[in-house]
Amino acid sequence: MRWSLLISAMLMLGAGGLRSTDAQSGYELLLKGGHVIDPRNGVDSVMDVAITGGTVARVARDIPAADARQVVDARGLYVTPGALDLHGHVFYGIDPDAYLSDGISSVPPDGFTFRAGVTTVVDAGGAGWRNFHQFKRQVIDRSATRILSFLNIVGHGMKGGAAEQDLRDMDARLTAQRVREFPGVIVGIKTAHYRGPEWTAVGRAVEAGRLASVPVMVDFGTFGPDRPFEELVLERLRPGDIYTHQYRADVPMLDANGKVRAYLFEARKRGVLFDVGHGSGSFSFSQAVPAVAQGFVPDSLGTDLHTSSMTGGMKDMSNVMSKFLNMGMSMQEVVLRSTWKPAGIIDRTDLGHLSPGAVADVAVFRLVEGNFGFLDARLRRMTGSRRLECELTLREGRVVWDLNGLAGRAWDAPAEK
Ligand SMILES: [Zn+2]
């Protein structure tokens, strides 16, 4: 059975249970008067969102405040599904030599996700089949953020250096076996940072993806003449596979006249997907600005969150979303590519929308107008007039981030009984 079907069945059961409790006790939380953008359900207008039991109970105009135990005034703000970051690095640990696989370059997710509106992050290959159990115990099971994983084709995961070049540790069969052990949690395969001239790393990752029926995400590593990028996206990847670091300077993007090369649109037509994967070295405005203007937009706005990207030009999900707004993408498109679209890419269609019965992972953003600057990975600057700030984040209906205390009671209000 497909994971998404199982989830849908569970949702329907949950939604049935909700109706009986609403009448007795009212909604637990009501987000009132916000501009709801829910691309999955075609919602793009001022609506109220009622939440009970960790799930969305109802989205409608004018739900009475009296029907809820707590009301948050969301007027003037955007209410969206919680963002799904398709590319993060959260397998944190204290091994100084372990890079993004139990090392100090990864970040503890809860400290960096909720404040940017993110409720789900897909770790992009930190763990491999040998240490996924450790990742699960150490991070996934202890985080309030929902953590999913692309499993590295390298058994030891993203330890950096020579470990990631070891072809003997890229076992498609054992990798696929681990994926099948955690359906819906391990949602794909990752290959990254490979420097060699041959296609073995990509080939083994695709083979594991085929065996486990999941997509592959590719960080192409060293670009060189022996492995043409064009061949990767036109021949080696399958429909549904993802190339991340879309606007990296190495990608052959523009022709001599500044036009986006036709093969990129061909690759997209055959079903290959493109993720931003901003990071600390993989996003150049000189690629992104003309590409977005000519319609070569991302399928997903993955951040490539880790310690050096968050302190450089990337910063966080809301900053990456703001960059695309200022490059001319609409708010609706930005939300789609941060929520529902990435959820579909990893076959987790239970996420990324606000349907009644869905988990109440919600983000509330303020769109601020002013004079702002944005840096790319090479610290080149683009100015802009709009910036998204995350005001409030709910994870399973619980407030996990509240910038201005929208859900808080006044400090001098009478004590609650
Ligand atoms: Zn990465």
Side-chain angles (χ1 to χ4, degrees), residues 87-89 99-100 124-125 158 190 192-193 217 219 244-245 277 279 303-306:
H87 187 153
H89 293 285
Y99 190 37
L100 296 167
M158 219 173 259
K190 178 86 185 282
H193 307 154
M217 176 184 267
D219 163 328
T244 188
H245 307 313
T303 61
D304 197 3
L305 173 75
H306 50 67

Short mmCIF file of all heavy atoms in Angstrom, two decimals, residues 87-89 99-100 124-125 158 190 192-193 217 219 244-245 277 279 303-306, ligand 1:
data_model
loop_
_atom_site.label_atom_id
_atom_site.label_comp_id
_atom_site.label_asym_id
_atom_site.label_seq_id
_atom_site.Cartn_x
_atom_site.Cartn_y
_atom_site.Cartn_z
N HIS A 87 15.36 20.26 1.86
CA HIS A 87 16.81 20.08 1.91
C HIS A 87 17.40 20.77 3.16
O HIS A 87 17.65 21.97 3.15
CB HIS A 87 17.43 20.65 0.63
CG HIS A 87 18.90 20.38 0.47
ND1 HIS A 87 19.51 20.31 -0.75
CD2 HIS A 87 19.89 20.17 1.38
CE1 HIS A 87 20.79 20.07 -0.60
NE2 HIS A 87 21.06 19.99 0.69
N GLY A 88 17.57 20.01 4.24
CA GLY A 88 18.20 20.55 5.44
C GLY A 88 19.24 19.58 5.97
O GLY A 88 19.35 18.44 5.47
N HIS A 89 20.02 20.02 6.94
CA HIS A 89 21.02 19.14 7.57
C HIS A 89 20.88 19.22 9.07
O HIS A 89 21.33 20.19 9.68
CB HIS A 89 22.42 19.49 7.08
CG HIS A 89 22.60 19.18 5.62
ND1 HIS A 89 22.76 17.88 5.17
CD2 HIS A 89 22.57 19.96 4.52
CE1 HIS A 89 22.86 17.89 3.85
NE2 HIS A 89 22.73 19.14 3.43
N TYR A 99 31.33 16.14 9.97
CA TYR A 99 30.65 17.05 9.04
C TYR A 99 29.14 17.07 9.24
O TYR A 99 28.68 17.52 10.30
CB TYR A 99 31.05 16.70 7.60
CG TYR A 99 30.62 17.70 6.55
CD1 TYR A 99 30.64 19.07 6.81
CD2 TYR A 99 30.20 17.30 5.29
CE1 TYR A 99 30.24 19.99 5.85
CE2 TYR A 99 29.80 18.22 4.32
CZ TYR A 99 29.83 19.56 4.62
OH TYR A 99 29.42 20.47 3.67
N LEU A 100 28.34 16.56 8.28
CA LEU A 100 26.88 16.67 8.39
C LEU A 100 26.23 15.36 8.83
O LEU A 100 25.03 15.17 8.69
CB LEU A 100 26.30 17.12 7.03
CG LEU A 100 26.75 18.52 6.58
CD1 LEU A 100 26.40 18.77 5.12
CD2 LEU A 100 26.11 19.60 7.45
N ALA A 124 18.95 15.97 4.13
CA ALA A 124 19.39 15.59 2.78
C ALA A 124 20.68 14.77 2.83
O ALA A 124 21.76 15.26 2.50
CB ALA A 124 19.55 16.84 1.91
N GLY A 125 20.55 13.55 3.29
CA GLY A 125 21.67 12.61 3.16
C GLY A 125 22.70 12.64 4.28
O GLY A 125 23.81 12.14 4.09
N MET A 158 27.07 11.47 5.31
CA MET A 158 27.82 12.65 4.85
C MET A 158 28.92 13.03 5.83
O MET A 158 28.88 14.09 6.45
CB MET A 158 26.82 13.79 4.67
CG MET A 158 27.10 14.67 3.47
SD MET A 158 25.76 15.84 3.22
CE MET A 158 24.83 15.08 1.91
N LYS A 190 19.97 9.95 -1.44
CA LYS A 190 20.80 11.12 -1.78
C LYS A 190 22.18 10.66 -2.23
O LYS A 190 22.75 9.73 -1.66
CB LYS A 190 20.96 12.02 -0.54
CG LYS A 190 21.85 13.26 -0.72
CD LYS A 190 21.08 14.43 -1.28
CE LYS A 190 21.99 15.64 -1.59
NZ LYS A 190 22.37 16.41 -0.41
N ALA A 192 25.88 12.76 -3.01
CA ALA A 192 26.41 14.12 -2.86
C ALA A 192 27.92 14.15 -2.86
O ALA A 192 28.58 13.18 -2.46
CB ALA A 192 25.91 14.74 -1.56
N HIS A 193 28.46 15.27 -3.32
CA HIS A 193 29.88 15.63 -3.15
C HIS A 193 30.84 14.71 -3.88
O HIS A 193 32.03 14.74 -3.60
CB HIS A 193 30.25 15.67 -1.65
CG HIS A 193 29.34 16.52 -0.83
ND1 HIS A 193 29.12 16.33 0.52
CD2 HIS A 193 28.56 17.59 -1.18
CE1 HIS A 193 28.25 17.23 0.96
NE2 HIS A 193 27.91 18.00 -0.04
N MET A 217 17.72 12.30 -4.79
CA MET A 217 18.15 13.71 -4.85
C MET A 217 19.65 13.74 -5.11
O MET A 217 20.41 13.06 -4.43
CB MET A 217 17.83 14.43 -3.54
CG MET A 217 18.33 15.87 -3.51
SD MET A 217 18.06 16.70 -1.92
CE MET A 217 16.47 17.50 -2.22
N ASP A 219 23.16 15.91 -5.44
CA ASP A 219 24.14 17.00 -5.38
C ASP A 219 25.26 16.50 -6.27
O ASP A 219 25.86 15.46 -5.98
CB ASP A 219 24.57 17.21 -3.94
CG ASP A 219 25.87 18.03 -3.81
OD1 ASP A 219 26.74 17.94 -4.70
OD2 ASP A 219 26.02 18.74 -2.82
N THR A 244 19.28 18.99 -6.88
CA THR A 244 19.32 20.11 -5.93
C THR A 244 20.53 20.99 -6.24
O THR A 244 21.45 20.56 -6.94
CB THR A 244 19.32 19.61 -4.48
OG1 THR A 244 19.18 20.73 -3.59
CG2 THR A 244 20.61 18.88 -4.14
N HIS A 245 20.52 22.22 -5.73
CA HIS A 245 21.51 23.26 -6.05
C HIS A 245 21.28 23.78 -7.48
O HIS A 245 22.19 23.94 -8.27
CB HIS A 245 22.95 22.76 -5.91
CG HIS A 245 23.26 22.12 -4.59
ND1 HIS A 245 22.90 22.72 -3.39
CD2 HIS A 245 23.89 20.96 -4.25
CE1 HIS A 245 23.30 21.94 -2.39
NE2 HIS A 245 23.88 20.86 -2.88
N GLY A 277 18.10 24.30 -2.95
CA GLY A 277 19.31 23.85 -2.23
C GLY A 277 20.33 24.96 -2.07
O GLY A 277 21.49 24.81 -2.42
N GLY A 279 22.14 26.73 0.38
CA GLY A 279 23.40 26.45 1.04
C GLY A 279 24.35 27.62 1.11
O GLY A 279 23.96 28.78 0.94
N THR A 303 16.38 24.76 1.51
CA THR A 303 17.34 25.77 1.97
C THR A 303 18.79 25.29 2.00
O THR A 303 19.70 26.08 1.88
CB THR A 303 17.00 26.21 3.40
OG1 THR A 303 17.09 25.08 4.28
CG2 THR A 303 15.62 26.83 3.47
N ASP A 304 19.00 23.98 2.24
CA ASP A 304 20.34 23.45 2.54
C ASP A 304 20.85 24.09 3.84
O ASP A 304 21.95 24.62 3.91
CB ASP A 304 21.31 23.70 1.38
CG ASP A 304 22.56 22.84 1.47
OD1 ASP A 304 22.66 22.01 2.40
OD2 ASP A 304 23.46 23.02 0.63
N LEU A 305 20.00 24.03 4.86
CA LEU A 305 20.31 24.59 6.18
C LEU A 305 21.46 23.83 6.84
O LEU A 305 21.44 22.61 6.97
CB LEU A 305 19.05 24.45 7.07
CG LEU A 305 19.19 24.82 8.54
CD1 LEU A 305 19.25 26.33 8.72
CD2 LEU A 305 18.01 24.25 9.34
N HIS A 306 22.48 24.55 7.23
CA HIS A 306 23.55 24.03 8.10
C HIS A 306 24.26 25.25 8.69
O HIS A 306 23.88 26.39 8.39
CB HIS A 306 24.50 23.08 7.36
CG HIS A 306 25.03 23.60 6.07
ND1 HIS A 306 25.89 24.67 5.97
CD2 HIS A 306 24.78 23.21 4.78
CE1 HIS A 306 26.18 24.89 4.70
NE2 HIS A 306 25.52 24.03 3.95
ZN ZN B 1 23.02 19.86 1.48
#
